[in-house]
Amino acid sequence: MAESTVLNLVLWLPVLGMVALLLAPHGTDRAIRGFALALMLLQFVLAAWLYRRFDGAVAGLQFETRLPWIRDWGVHYHIGLDGLNVLLVALTAFLGPLVVAGAFSAIQKQVKLFYAMVFFIQFAMLGTFVAQDLFLFYVFWEAMLIPMFLIIGIWGGERRIYATLKFVLYTAFGSILMLAAVIYLVYSQSQVTGSMSFAFSELGRYPLPLDAQSWLLAAFALSFAIKVPMVPLHTWLPDAHVEAPTAGSVILAGVLLKMGTYGFMKLGFPLFPDATRAFLPALMILSVVSIIYGACLALVQTDIKKIIAYSSISHLGYVMLGLVSLDLIGIQGAIIQMVSHGLVAGGLFMMVGMIYERCHTRELAHYGGLAKLLPVYSVFFMILTLASIGLPTTSGFTGEFMVLLGAFNAAWPSYLAGDSLPLVVAVTAVAGVVLGALYMLWLAQRLLFGEVKAPHQPFTDLVAREKAILLAFVVAIFALGLFPQGPLAKTELAARDYQQRVLASRVPEAAP
Amino acid sequence: MDRTQLLLALSITLFSLGFVGVMVRRNALVMLMCMELMLNGVILSLVAFAAHSATLAGAVLVFLVFVVAAAEIAIAIPIVLLLSRQKRSLDIGAYSELKG
Amino acid sequence: MNLLTLIVLLPLAGFLLNGLAGPRLGKGFVSVVGCGLPILAFLATVRAFMQLNGAEGAALVETAYTWAVVGDFSFDIAFYFDRLSALMTLIVTGVGSLIHIYSTGYMKDDASYARYFAYLNLFLFFMLLLVLGRSLLVCFVGWEGVGLASYLLIGFWFDDPAKAQAGKKAFITNRVGDAGFLLGMFLIYHALGTLDFDAVNAAFTGPVAPAVSASLVGLLLFIGATGKSAQIPLHVWLPDAMAGPTPVSALIHAATMVTAGVYLVARLNGLYLQAPEASQVIAVVGLATAFFAATIAVVQTDIKKVLAYSTVSQLGLMFLALGVGAYGVAVFHVYTHAFFKACLFLGAGSVIHAMSGEQDIRKMGGLARKIPVTFATFAVATAAIAGIPPLAGFFSKDEILWFAFASETGGSPLLWAIASFSALLTSFYMFRLLWLTFLTPSRMDHQTEHHVHESPFSMTSVLIVLAVLSAVGGFFHVYDFLEPVMPMPAASESLHHLKMPLIYVATAVAFAGLGLAWFVYRDGLARGDRLRQRFAGAHRLLSGKYYVDELYEAVLGRPLHWISDRVFLVLGDRALIDGSLHGLAATAQRAAGRLSRVETGNLQTYVLLVVLGLVASLAWMWRNG
């Protein structure tokens, strides 16, 4: 009993913090910042404890809480950790204090509201990951929009209104369709079983014909694909990243994008396995298109944040590739890649924020030779660049290697059986690693090497707070790169379960 | 044509005249008067039906409508008065700020 | 004690110490840590070698830890020490330590002394992972890691954008090869369920042939080798890599990293023995590379570029040997090449040091008397690479030529002929280099000439050691030593009687090159310039390196950029996707604008609409009962 309380605490602590902040009298900004950091650190400690206690050998949910909420509709407040979300919860809690600390010098106006919004979004993101009831999931999914809208809209850059509206409307459009699908799904299930239920464990059980599955999958997939983001539904991301404040970008890249892939992994594919398998070629093609297209576009950008935004699209293409490979190594690799991307992209955006605070420009053309001006900064930037490229010993390699191996492992038998599309996809994805190196090294070169130039000199190298933040990122990246067995052991059962469910069939038996 | 039908014809006539007046006239007070005319038409039809069916329900309803009409006029005229002080005109065309 | 793990971790410790604390603790500390740890690693390797000999040839295996377990498969970080690894590790740590010592003299005045040694130790760490790794996975970690170290060291003086650019070119070109490596690795994993070298070799030499084509795997892994070992078509990064400090060129781009490809193929000899098509491709590519690189080297005027193309050419010969099944011979050439090429590069470094930074051989000459130790060691190494007996290069090159001619798995007279011609060119351009740099009358400008001085002992001592090894190293027949691990290919019986004649021919070729070089260049540039004018077209082609870089830029670089920019960005993202989005938004706004015209603001219109609505609904209710 006590253990599940910890998960509830982790989830609701940000809400308490938000309420406390909004109700508190006009304190000093310093007190607010200190409070926010303390709260986030506490949440991280609790989440770390949950992570350590999570037992990878036990199937099903751990630290579960199930309370009836809306009885007549079969809605419960049902949360729990399983192999699919335990790493993501840990990632979210890990990034919390880093985001808060990173925003100390960047956010100067309406500080109270800002941290309240950060808490709100932590709550919404964590809720999405731990929710085991479809209604609850949807509520949290939608709830995330409000704080993000405000974060980009109030503390963002010049085109922030355009960017935040684009982000919200795009995401909301997908969500509306998803709502329709949710209603239909629950309704059709209630026709079969006689009572309504939103529980994940119930929704997958009864037979569902292929065409119904296809439409439902399309609706869910649209919403998730917008979030991931998958090409061609990705254009909100570069604008959102560029205009968002640093903390917003770190949250967006670090966790928010994973909500889309998590949605696919938890809901989209396992609930509609036959439709997923029918659409597998299209999904594979879209994944590899994301990889290549994102990488190519990153090559021709002039704004540093846009480069990293497009690199995010490319990296998440690997995650999708791993998920649709339906190979255990690929699936595990996708989960690791999710976490790795959160760390790497989050770290890179944090670093862009640091340089922006000093030089007030994100144009690559304004920079050069930073290795001479900011040696410590450059070391961290180089490490994060290498992690993004997927250099072995970093988490990027673990994720990419496993995804590519899984994709290939699944593709080769198909090739021998006559279907060469998966193999073409896998080989193209492997070729994508070259492009990945190309644009990241190009960025590093323009930024760090060559002739020295930067506006608003002289400026200081990293202060202790910034070094601590980046050190946390780097340590996590190397830990995941050198010792992935810990996380992998925790996710294996859930990955297997996902694989089995997507390979199973829900189509009703043919009438005798 | 029997008595009821005659009364109903008259009632419709009154109502229509009132309606046309509301649509066509531009003076706010005249529009209010025409609306009163419409109400009276309805009242007349209530009386006709009450007489026809020999129940008291219609007659009671008539008194209700009277009271409502009086209350309505008591509110409407001051509203028009206050508005006309703002715009300095009773022309209905002057009050189109909710356009678009 | 886990000896192998220790060997690997010692340079890593050096990297961390020098990287984190080096700048603060001064050059003395950096030198001691930076050179001491590789020397310790070398001693540990010797110890392991003795253990290996004691164990009657069974390989030493050490598992460090388990990296990941997925399903039934366990990816372990394990090390494997057999005769091949022993030899490679000895070369890496031995020659590596020597070059570290040399660097203390060469980089003495550099501001980033600590960073240099940190990177150099990092390189050593990854290279040891590469050669000691038991599985393709650990090898790959080292493989990519040495690419990283190479990138960092080539672009070491990153203030110069051209140098940083060269580092990037190296990394990207290597990455292309790595894609092939990955695919080959995946195929092996899929077919055999293991990535361990010993298991893979056993599977392919065993009674039951694995389900996957050995040639396909072989070719994919060879693509990786092509990238790392600068073979055609991925050779373009090596000459540019000369931008880095000269000891780096010696260590990474001569003695060790570039031989990783050779090591990979040699290590998987069990696989390649079953892959005749792949072996043929390897032989042809190696030969072509050897030939083309040699032709380019003939016209180079930068002392390091000559040596760079020479390295590419020699690597080509190694791959030729691998392609005809003579794995042990190829490794023999790796071993001798490490000595004389390192000696040559370090000698070049000594020359550049003496010449205050000048690298153009047209501005040198007459250095023999001024820097005698450098000259003597350079001359010995030159003779070795040219194949003058009884120096090391003669033995290894001769074996390669013999098997190119006579091996039953792919040898042919044509291969031998072209390879011999390349050897002729090698001898020619190396002696050309020797003469123009040291023996011709001086063409130096006065300022430089005044400052010419011999290098410090830290540098010359290493040169002497390497020169001695280049001289006598050939007497240790590596291929015999490696026989238990990689058998020698069968040489055609009918051709055995030609073995001695071919040795004479090879010797004659070496001396012919010497003679030609002496004839053309003994008095300086004049005769060479006349030849250049007569064969201007050919000269342009050669000094333009056959325009391969330009070809890549035109066929790959610019189209990629153009497509990314014009097609994907402007057309795709902006016009199509964002355009349709903005179109949707505009449509919604226009529609809303039109619909809002219902709100006329006119009270009477509203009344009319209400009444009409009322009438319509009453009529509908009346119609539908």
Side-chain angles (χ1 to χ4, degrees), chain C residues 380-428:
Chain C
V380 170
T382 306
I385 192 176
I388 307 276
L391 301 172
F394 162 71
F395 287 102
S396 55
K397 199 178 287 194
D398 186 68
E399 288 294 322
I400 295 179
L401 290 174
W402 164 241
F403 281 108
F405 183 71
S407 166
E408 286 195 338
T409 49
S412 83
L414 181 62
L415 289 181
W416 172 86
I418 301 179
S420 297
F421 184 64
S422 306
L424 174 67
L425 287 176
T426 305
S427 175
F428 173 68

Side-chain angles (χ1 to χ4, degrees), chain A residues 293-435:
Chain A
Y293 190 84
C296 283
L297 275 166
L299 212 46
V300 293
Q301 297 302 322
T302 53
D303 181 319
I304 302 179
K305 267 186 146 181
K306 276 209 170 140
I307 296 176
I308 306 174
Y310 280 109
S311 91
S312 288
I313 297 175
S314 191
H315 283 309
L316 287 163
Y318 283 106
V319 174
M320 292 308 299
L321 187 66
L323 286 180
V324 300
S325 71
L326 304 182
D327 178 280
L328 190 61
I329 300 185
I331 298 165
Q332 294 265 61
I335 299 176
I336 298 286
Q337 175 77 342
M338 280 189 225
V339 178
S340 166
H341 173 264
L343 295 170
V344 174
L348 281 170
F349 278 115
M350 193 71 84
M351 297 207 76
V352 174
M354 289 174 191
I355 198 76
Y356 183 78
E357 274 177 56
R358 288 165 171 77
C359 303
H360 302 293
T361 173
R362 285 184 310 262
E363 284 295 311
L364 196 52
H366 294 164
Y367 289 109
L370 285 184
K372 270 246 152 10
L373 294 174
L374 301 169
V376 183
Y377 178 90
S378 305
V379 169
F380 280 113
F381 196 87
M382 204 65 226
I383 296 177
L384 287 172
T385 301
L386 294 171
S388 178
I389 291 176
L391 189 80
T393 69
T394 63
S395 57
F397 172 70
T398 316
E400 272 179 20
F401 176 74
M402 291 178 73
V403 162
L404 290 172
L405 179 54
F408 189 85
N409 229 11
W412 191 252
S414 304
Y415 170 70
L416 294 177
D419 175 18
S420 52
L421 178 70
L423 188 65
V424 170
V425 164
V427 172
T428 315
V430 172
V433 302
V434 181
L435 287 174

Side-chain angles (χ1 to χ4, degrees), chain B residues 19 22-26 31 92 95-96 98-100, chain C residues 596-597 599-608 611:
Chain B
F19 181 64
V22 166
M23 295 307 310
V24 167
R25 297 303 294 264
R26 291 186 70 87
M31 282 173 77
I92 206 73
Y95 300 97
S96 55
L98 283 178
K99 183 186 167 102
Chain C
S596 74
R597 283 192 215 150
E599 310 283 324
T600 57
N602 187 336
L603 186 59
Q604 287 154 335
T605 321
Y606 295 160
V607 172
L608 183 62
V611 169

Side-chain angles (χ1 to χ4, degrees), chain B residues 14-36:
Chain B
L14 278 175
F15 185 86
S16 313
L17 280 173
F19 181 64
V20 169
V22 166
M23 295 307 310
V24 167
R25 297 303 294 264
R26 291 186 70 87
N27 187 310
L29 286 174
V30 173
M31 282 173 77
L32 278 173
M33 284 192 278
C34 294
M35 279 186 249
E36 284 303 304

